[in-house]
Amino acid sequence: MPAVPDPSDGIPEPILRKLLQIGLLISSKLGLRELIEAVIEVAGQAVPADRISLWLVDDNAHELYTFVGEGLDQEIRIPIGGQGIVNECVVARREINVPCAYEHASFDKSWDTENGYTTYSVLCVPISRGNRVVACLQFINRKRGKSRRRIYFPAEERQMFVGRFTSSDARIARTIADYIGVAVEKSLLVGRLKSQSWSAIKMLADVTDGRDPTTGDHTKLVTAIAVAIAREMGLSQHMIERVMLAAILHDVGKISIPDRVLRKKGPLNKREWSMMRRHPTETRNRLARLEFARGFEDILFAAGAHHEKMDGSGYPDGLKGDEIPIEARIIAPADVYQALTQERPYKPAKPSAQAYGICCEMEGTHLYPPAVAALGAVLDRCGGDPTTLVELINW
């Protein structure tokens, strides 16, 4: 964590309190976007600017993009090395303080032209972690304050803006950039760890599916369909991730089922069916040995509830209606639809429309109506081919 500036640096006490507030925000449990939005809001109180934006470096696309920006309705992307003061800041890896943007060689006025805006003064501060620039903090149009420095503005705007951002502004901006750099680095690290965790979890699902070659990519397809249903239902990103995790793990308990039962080409007898019905409980038992991240601790219950039914006739616990975790209520129609449309040694694959019709017949008794309706919308969009949805889960 960057050190909070000393008052002897010439930073006024109210601004120091703002910087301390930013430091406390960085230490919070907020997500990166929520955190940066809060930091930007406080930054605007410390460095009075008309607009403040954070640009992140996308190494894969070799682009800069607006992660957070005041007055921006949608993300802006520009190629690294192209026109623009932000680009100059990132490529040259140096702070840039421009009192008159239209007189600066690298300024790109296209955004002003398209949006009816006028950029006067610009302050850009690079955010570096290690030996590379990961972002740029940009302040546009210094608002009136104690600064006496002025440049020519049209009369109607002269009362709002002054000229160059001051050296004090730049010093404060550098401190804020340091704080944001810590948050970005933390997010990148968490992102890498999260990616590794998802990879390990997906590998476990692949091992489960590999036990029975007749079911092919069952888990992958069920997960893709369930995630699409969750998005169609407008669930939060956190809930979508919970659905995805529960779907990936929903059949892990089949690892405990003997091959002679799991790979049997004909109908199961009563004893074999009893063994097969144990797999949701086995899923929970195996997942209980793992430690899940905060917000996912109870995911084993959702993963083991995908065979519960809305009327209470399902298993393993006979849960009914809202007693069934929402994740399981979403996975269930995805599981039924995928099983119906997949060819098995003991049955042919059903056409998509017929399989969805069967899901509709099970609505209310077996399946959760809103999830069935969302499944229908998803199938309409993908043309009844759920394999096109796999890219949603980056498998």
Side-chain angles (χ1 to χ4, degrees), residues 222-235 239-240 242-244 246-247 302 305-306 310 324-336 367-368 370-372 374-375:
V222 168
T223 301
I225 297 168
V227 167
I229 290 173
R231 291 184 175 180
E232 180 67 28
M233 292 174 64
L235 300 188
M239 284 303 301
I240 290 171
R242 284 181 57 90
V243 169
M244 181 173 173
H306 60 284
M310 294 299 292
I324 306 170
I326 182 63
E327 300 88 350
R329 282 181 268 158
I330 290 172
I331 294 169
D335 191 31
V336 171
L367 302 177
Y368 182 48
V372 174
L375 171 61

Side-chain angles (χ1 to χ4, degrees), residues 89-144:
C89 173
V90 171
V91 173
R93 302 178 63 175
R94 64 182 177 84
E95 177 184 309
I96 298 177
N97 192 343
V98 177
C100 188
Y102 279 77
E103 294 179 2
H104 194 76
S106 67
F107 178 66
D108 180 2
K109 63 180 182 180
S110 60
W111 193 88
D112 279 13
T113 302
E114 293 171 6
N115 293 275
Y117 187 78
T118 303
T119 299
Y120 299 110
S121 52
V122 179
L123 172 62
C124 285
V125 180
I127 300 175
S128 300
R129 306 314 296 168
N131 60 358
R132 71 187 191 93
V133 176
V134 297
C136 174
L137 183 59
Q138 179 187 54
F139 299 80
I140 295 177
N141 288 349
R142 213 290 187 179
K143 290 184 178 179
R144 287 184 62 85

